[in-house]
Amino acid sequence: MEEEIRLLVLLYCSQADSLRFGASCRAASSTLASTLEVLVLDVMRAVPQDTSEYCKKRDWPAVCRFLLRHTRVRRLSLRGTQLHAKVLEALLLTAPSVVECDVAFALPLRWPAYSALRQRPELQKLAFSDTLAVEPGPELSPQEVVIAQAYGLHAGRVDVCFRFASPANKAMTGPLERFALFFEGSSRYSAMLRCESFSVDGGHSLTSGPAGKPCVEFEVEFRDKDEGSGHLFAWKLSRQTAPEVAGCWMTDGVIPLDIESMWDGSMTED
């Protein structure tokens, strides 16, 4: 029952309220402060559609105050939250005992600022888990796969994007060295590489994919700070059945929405 109540508090109350609730219902505040070592503020996947955006927004000043009072916290998990590098910096400097920090799928967390933060001398003891380190797995949602690929391109890591291409896609566009050519020169896909920012629109299911596999499609917009409008792409994924990736959502193709061509091998020349 307590876990059900805590879930409701996290979904529908402010972060400050949920943290106070956790302290009052689990133990006396002083006891919690002396024992709490892990603080998980992940965005839960089972969030109702109409509250998911709300739940990504944390009351970060309240979290900082909470961390100031709970000095034994060693692990901080912020997966999927709405997070900027400045906020992450404030959280980590408030909690000097933290040695592990998980920011996978946290957005926008722009790579240049996040990368610079990781290099700070006072943060060298931290072990970061981030989107670039995520590997394909059945536990990942389709949206997380798209975020992993788009964030990899934002960070200039084509290999991360290629990691989540489906076996059929890799057969058409690989190996990695050939795949990287999609993002060079005047290619429409070059707008993705080291973009200023990107956004992922909520996915919608398709009727069926190759061999009747479940499929889903997302719209992803990549933006550059020097351009007023972004570049839109349709991201098509399916749940894989091959033994080595069984159950994983992976990308079968990416279509620039203003031209009839696909990142599935049809634009390459042999």
Side-chain angles (χ1 to χ4, degrees):
M1 181 62 180
E2 179 181 333
E3 289 303 318
E4 293 177 359
I5 295 174
R6 286 179 58 78
L7 176 62
L8 290 172
V9 170
L10 286 170
L11 288 180
Y12 298 111
C13 297
S14 72
Q15 185 64 29
D17 289 340
S18 65
L19 291 173
R20 282 199 297 270
F21 181 89
S24 63
C25 74
R26 282 179 175 268
S29 182
S30 59
T31 303
L32 186 65
S34 65
T35 58
L36 183 66
E37 294 189 355
V38 179
L39 181 58
V40 178
L41 300 175
D42 299 357
V43 171
M44 292 164 286
R45 296 182 189 174
V47 173
Q49 186 68 29
D50 59 346
T51 63
S52 58
E53 286 303 315
Y54 173 82
C55 293
K56 291 180 183 179
K57 300 176 182 179
R58 300 300 190 192
D59 185 348
W60 295 122
V63 177
C64 285
R65 292 192 295 271
F66 184 86
L67 288 170
L68 280 172
R69 296 193 302 271
H70 298 79
T71 57
R72 292 179 60 87
V73 173
R74 296 176 55 81
R75 181 175 181 271
L76 184 61
S77 187
L78 307 167
R79 290 173 71 94
T81 57
Q82 184 172 300
L83 185 68
H84 294 265
K86 282 291 186 184
V87 172
L88 179 60
E89 177 184 10
L91 292 170
L92 295 177
L93 295 180
T94 300
S97 296
V98 169
V99 294
E100 297 179 39
C101 184
D102 189 344
V103 293
F105 310 115
L107 294 176
L109 197 59
R110 293 178 179 172
W111 172 251
Y114 168 57
S115 178
L117 179 63
R118 290 186 54 153
Q119 302 306 313
R120 294 269 294 268
E122 63 270 37
L123 299 179
Q124 289 302 298
K125 64 180 177 64
L126 264 73
F128 286 94
S129 298
D130 57 36
T131 308
L132 299 180
V134 175
E135 296 285 341
E139 72 280 1
L140 297 183
S141 70
Q143 186 173 30
E144 287 171 333
V145 171
V146 176
I147 290 173
Q149 289 190 295
Y151 193 83
L153 293 171
H154 162 68
R157 291 282 303 276
V158 176
D159 62 302
V160 175
C161 183
F162 190 65
R163 185 187 304 161
F164 291 90
S166 67
N169 193 327
K170 286 180 177 177
M172 292 291 293
T173 62
L176 175 60
E177 293 76 15
R178 183 167 177 254
F179 182 75
L181 297 178
F182 279 99
F183 308 97
E184 294 185 357
S186 59
S187 164
R188 298 304 299 267
Y189 298 104
S190 65
M192 300 177 176
L193 197 62
R194 298 183 180 86
C195 63
E196 177 72 11
S197 62
F198 68 89
S199 59
V200 179
D201 190 21
H204 61 274
S205 298
L206 303 178
T207 53
S208 64
K213 293 185 293 187
C215 291
V216 66
E217 181 176 308
F218 292 84
E219 285 189 10
V220 185
E221 183 178 16
F222 292 85
R223 294 176 293 274
D224 188 272
K225 62 182 178 181
D226 297 325
E227 298 180 3
S229 59
H231 303 266
L232 278 173
F233 297 83
W235 230 268
K236 296 186 176 182
L237 301 87
S238 64
R239 191 187 292 275
Q240 302 300 302
T241 57
E244 65 275 15
V245 289
C248 297
W249 286 97
M250 305 188 85
T251 298
D252 293 317
V254 173
I255 306 173
L257 289 181
D258 57 346
I259 59 174
E260 295 182 358
S261 57
M262 288 188 67
W263 162 24
D264 62 357
S266 60
M267 290 184 66
T268 60
E269 296 182 1
D270 295 324

